[in-house]
Amino acid sequence: MNVLGISAFYHDSAAALLVDGHPVAAAQEERFSRIKNDASFPEQACAFCLQHAGITSADLDAVVFYDKPLVKFERILHTFLNRAPRGLNMFRQAMPAWLKQKLWIPRMLHQQLPGATEYLYSSHHFSHAASAFYPSPFTSAAILTVDGVGEWSTCSYGVGCDDAFELHKELHFPHSLGLLYSSFTAYLGFRINEGEYKVMGLAPYGEPKYLDLIFDQLVDRHADSSFALNRKYFGYLDQLSMTSPSFHALFGGPPRQPEATLEQRHMDLAASIQKATEILMLDLANEVHRQTGEENLCLAGGVALNCVANGRLLREGPFKRIWIQPAAGDAGGSLGAAFIGHLALGGQLPHKDGDDLMSAALLGPDFNDTEIIQALDAANLDYTQMETPTLLNTVAAELAGGGVVGWYQGRMEFGPRALGNRSILADSRQTDMQHTLNQKIKFREGFRPFAPVVLEELATEFFDLDVPSPYMLLVSQVAEQQKLPVTDSGTGLAMLDTPRSTIPAVTHVDNSARVQTVNDRQNPLFTQLLKTFEQQTGCPVLVNTSFNIKDEPIVCTPQDAVECFLKSGIDALAIGPFWIKECGEL
Amino acid sequence: MKTRCKRFLERLGHFQAMLLLTVMFVIFLTPYALLLRLFGQGKLPPGEWQKVVEQQAELSRLRRTF
């Protein structure tokens, strides 16, 4: 049975294909269109999925859209009715897209993917819940989904068992943890649905001085872990901004302009909303545990990409085991929708033998040597073809010598993280590597931290993490034995200048790290590279950051990789079996 | 010239659309909203847990766009 799931028209559109219940292909449209967070219909992602399986749309048993467009439209109209006569500008901005496009999704599905047997519509949080539970390694688990907003729901929980799940309760718009976080993201001068990572990365530079204010004025927490937002402070109901003038007055000034200097106040605000989010997530997890009694938790929704909160859930929460959908945002909704369609049509889930069904999230396209050679020749690059052991030794030696290497191998990752197939790699022991990568390679804000990748079996030597973290969705502290004594490291961005551990390039200013663990089973080549690096240096930890530069999606094709290599200051490129060293900048 | 005409028509179309939406908002939506409010209707949901009534596993529900 072939079922194609689709998410589109909000942000990060994507397609995912299940064949007999196995996810065989999935990708975000942005990787093909090269428009970051592309929300348009995922035409190219659909084409890739079908091509990968060698089928056409007529071979599909179902096309499943990830939400119910008319219910979403009802929520939007209802909100306008509630706010009128305010909200005229927002009405004028929102309606054209609905009238021209979003109300005609069924027609669009029939046109773009003709001949499928069924065209189905899941709902937003059911799609998230399905993406969290069905591919997880658990046969029984509690499910928690938290994001900005779907149709009405902003957060939901329930229980999954074998081939079915039920959602029990949900919180409705406008009371949304995702929108609360996004409001602060916008207020701090970052783009919503994209800058949330930056807020999370900025938080450790500040103190949560505004936490009490957030819980006194903005968020009313209830005993059952539900919460209400004070609408007076938010603009997203009827204005073109996320926050209202009352919000600005409460936090001491207008929103920060995108390129303005980051002040200590901004860092304190980031720390405060991050702390508030962690507390609310812990509240929710406790309530879900009380209500369900389950030992396992499956998480999805955009807020589940907050890996600092995830780390706290794991350490301080009531659940023994946690699994987070690697494409936890809306892109992953396509996968959940496909699972829902597959099961509704009478399909069964594949047997889970302790592993999840995500194939290490390596569900995107791959390219053969001929295609890679074409891209290299087109760019007039000198390359050397190597056997795998030689390539691994060469890459490891380059990294050990302080070089930055573009690592492009196999199938592209599904979800926001580069997990070792479309990555930029560097030596985690180099003190100035964080600065070099931010300023010279990726051209992004200097405060942003980098994530480590470590051999799974050696993770506990370097991090306080006793579970695998294959999808880089858990933040933990660097292990005590790796920490260096620090007397006074200053405040704010000055904290960056102090080395804090034996792996300073991946140790954030609060000694935390967003860890990825790898093993031979999930990504053998990448694991071999880490082993080779360890043999050469004694250190099994590398910096792993996505293969892209600021404001661009992660590379997809060999052409994208070559282009990014030429535009950035990457020292060398390992693409398939080919090695390219230093080409100079364009 | 052709491009200019096209751009002019696009802007005209955009202006007409915005005008139409403004009229809709002011003439229809706002009075209806005020009427609803007068009778205590049209409120947004409170920040409390709501029971999930419709599960999505059934094919008949999945076939609906609402």
Side-chain angles (χ1 to χ4, degrees):
Chain A
M1 188 186 300
N2 305 315
V3 181
L4 185 72
I6 288 173
S7 68
F9 304 125
Y10 187 53
H11 57 87
D12 214 8
S13 67
L17 180 68
L18 292 191
V19 175
D20 297 330
H22 291 275
V24 297
Q28 292 126 286
E29 184 69 4
E30 63 160 23
R31 305 291 166 86
F32 303 96
S33 68
R34 310 307 301 155
I35 300 167
K36 194 153 192 186
N37 296 325
D38 193 349
S40 61
F41 187 85
E43 207 177 325
Q44 296 180 79
C46 289
F48 151 67
C49 289
L50 296 178
Q51 191 190 0
H52 183 84
I55 58 175
T56 68
S57 60
D59 300 315
L60 290 170
D61 295 280
V63 172
V64 193
F65 194 68
Y66 83 132
D67 68 13
K68 293 217 182 280
L70 286 182
V71 185
K72 197 178 256 185
F73 189 58
E74 182 228 339
R75 188 253 300 163
I76 285 165
L77 283 184
H78 192 102
T79 308
F80 283 125
L81 283 172
N82 180 268
R83 307 302 288 175
R86 283 169 290 180
L88 171 63
N89 286 337
M90 199 174 172
F91 181 79
R92 295 198 313 183
Q93 195 190 55
M95 282 306 117
W98 275 99
L99 297 173
K100 275 197 289 190
Q101 194 179 46
K102 296 181 189 177
L103 285 176
W104 313 109
I105 287 170
R107 195 174 67 179
M108 196 178 299
L109 292 180
H110 280 86
Q111 279 174 353
Q112 297 278 353
L113 298 157
T117 313
E118 292 270 8
Y119 294 86
L120 306 174
Y121 306 85
S122 173
S123 71
H124 195 95
H125 276 255
F126 273 86
S127 298
H128 276 318
S131 78
F133 176 63
Y134 289 135
S136 78
F138 309 135
T139 50
S140 170
I143 304 167
L144 175 62
T145 69
V146 193
D147 74 352
V149 60
E151 292 88 359
W152 276 102
S153 180
T154 63
C155 166
S156 65
Y157 72 80
V159 174
C161 187
D162 297 326
D163 284 6
F165 74 88
E166 269 195 7
L167 289 183
H168 298 162
K169 296 274 182 72
E170 58 188 17
L171 283 175
H172 282 182
F173 180 85
H175 310 288
S176 162
L177 179 50
L179 291 176
L180 173 69
Y181 204 93
S182 292
S183 297
F184 276 88
T185 302
Y187 184 67
L188 290 169
F190 303 119
R191 242 181 285 170
I192 58 168
N193 297 328
E194 191 187 322
E196 283 77 4
Y197 299 126
K198 300 181 187 178
V199 176
M200 194 170 65
L202 188 63
Y205 296 95
E207 293 295 324
K209 290 178 181 171
Y210 299 95
L211 184 63
D212 290 342
L213 204 55
I214 289 172
F215 283 135
D216 287 345
Q217 299 290 329
L218 263 54
V219 185
D220 183 14
R221 293 161 71 196
H222 305 147
D224 62 359
S225 301
S226 64
F227 58 88
L229 298 189
N230 188 342
R231 283 184 253 162
K232 170 177 145 186
Y233 293 104
F234 298 95
Y236 58 78
L237 285 161
D238 54 28
Q239 296 165 31
L240 295 176
S241 65
M242 292 296 289
T243 50
S244 73
S246 304
F247 186 104
H248 309 158
L250 186 67
F251 291 108
R256 172 182 166 266
Q257 292 304 306
E259 299 306 324
T261 312
L262 278 166
E263 298 163 8
Q264 190 58 46
R265 185 175 73 90
H266 300 126
M267 300 170 204
D268 294 341
L269 278 163
S272 306
I273 187 57
Q274 179 58 36
K275 190 70 76 185
T277 302
E278 292 164 26
I279 292 169
L280 289 168
M281 283 295 279
L282 275 167
D283 280 356
L284 287 168
N286 283 321
E287 175 67 8
V288 174
H289 186 255
R290 261 196 305 273
Q291 296 295 335
T292 65
E294 292 286 336
E295 291 187 336
N296 305 320
L297 176 68
C298 296
L299 270 175
V303 180
L305 292 171
N306 192 311
C307 16
V308 181
N310 295 344
R312 277 196 71 181
L313 275 188
L314 188 69
R315 288 190 302 276
E316 301 168 38
F319 291 96
K320 281 189 180 166
R321 287 170 292 273
I322 294 180
W323 189 84
I324 306 149
Q325 164 58 239
D330 277 7
S334 61
L335 185 65
F339 270 111
I340 287 175
H342 170 78
L343 291 164
L345 290 170
Q348 292 193 322
L349 277 186
H351 177 67
K352 295 176 180 177
D353 51 0
D355 269 343
D356 65 41
L357 303 180
M358 289 299 294
S359 307
L362 304 175
L363 295 167
D366 59 354
F367 298 86
N368 60 32
D369 292 355
T370 313
E371 290 166 307
I372 293 173
I373 289 171
Q374 277 170 2
L376 296 173
D377 286 343
N380 283 325
L381 287 172
D382 290 330
Y383 57 86
T384 313
Q385 186 164 4
M386 294 177 175
E387 295 295 320
T388 302
T390 316
L391 182 73
L392 293 175
N393 274 314
T394 310
V395 173
E398 177 70 26
L399 292 167
V404 176
V405 177
W407 176 254
Y408 180 103
Q409 305 290 337
R411 296 187 71 178
M412 186 180 72
E413 299 87 345
F414 179 49
R417 303 271 186 261
L419 299 170
N421 280 16
R422 300 288 186 276
S423 292
I424 293 174
L425 305 175
D427 187 350
S428 61
R429 303 166 304 160
Q430 309 269 337
T431 311
D432 56 352
M433 190 53 80
Q434 193 253 9
H435 177 79
T436 306
L437 285 169
N438 271 332
Q439 304 298 317
K440 294 182 186 163
I441 309 290
K442 301 197 76 169
F443 312 116
R444 65 182 206 183
E445 297 87 345
F447 69 85
R448 294 177 64 183
F450 287 96
V453 56
V454 60
L455 289 172
E456 189 177 291
E457 62 271 25
L458 297 173
T460 51
E461 284 183 24
F462 285 83
F463 305 100
D464 284 342
L465 186 71
D466 54 6
V467 296
S469 174
Y471 302 119
M472 213 187 261
L473 285 168
L474 295 169
V475 163
S476 77
Q477 285 283 298
V478 170
E480 210 54 49
Q481 65 265 31
Q482 302 300 337
K483 287 183 186 167
L484 300 175
V486 176
T487 45
D488 177 23
S489 65
T491 55
L493 297 181
M495 294 161 83
L496 266 176
D497 302 331
T498 310
R500 288 157 202 286
S501 76
T502 57
I503 43 173
V506 291
T507 306
H508 205 4
V509 294
D510 60 349
N511 291 318
S512 68
R514 193 182 69 201
V515 184
Q516 181 197 0
T517 58
V518 290
N519 62 37
D520 266 326
R521 219 174 49 257
Q522 292 178 314
N523 195 336
L525 186 66
F526 196 40
T527 307
Q528 280 309 310
L529 175 64
L530 275 158
K531 283 182 177 168
T532 311
F533 184 74
E534 192 210 0
Q535 280 159 13
Q536 290 190 12
T537 65
C539 175
V541 186
L542 284 172
V543 180
N544 178 12
T545 184
S546 52
F547 199 154
N548 64 338
I549 57 174
K550 194 183 176 194
D551 296 330
E552 286 189 2
I554 298 174
V555 300
C556 175
T557 63
Q559 287 87 345
D560 300 334
V562 166
E563 205 172 296
C564 185
F565 173 59
L566 294 172
K567 273 197 288 194
S568 65
I570 299 173
D571 299 305
L573 176 64
I575 180 166
F578 305 102
W579 173 250
I580 301 103
K581 175 87 172 100
E582 198 86 54
C583 59
E585 288 176 26
L586 278 182
Chain B
M1 191 63 184
K2 199 178 166 186
T3 322
R4 275 185 175 182
C5 280
K6 202 178 161 193
R7 201 178 302 154
F8 173 75
L9 287 172
E10 270 173 12
R11 282 183 185 168
L12 186 68
H14 179 74
F15 173 75
Q16 285 174 328
M18 287 300 115
L19 192 67
L20 182 70
L21 286 171
T22 307
V23 168
M24 274 171 65
F25 190 87
V26 174
I27 308 289
F28 298 106
L29 198 135
T30 301
Y32 181 54
L34 294 175
L35 266 176
L36 281 178
R37 223 167 291 165
L38 196 66
F39 292 101
Q41 301 290 309
K43 287 182 180 160
L44 289 171
E48 293 164 4
W49 290 116
Q50 317 277 326
K51 194 168 167 33
V52 179
V53 185
E54 286 203 344
Q55 304 294 326
Q56 295 294 324
E58 292 167 28
L59 209 51
S60 59
R61 289 222 168 96
L62 289 173
R63 286 187 178 126
R64 286 193 257 152
T65 55
F66 54 90

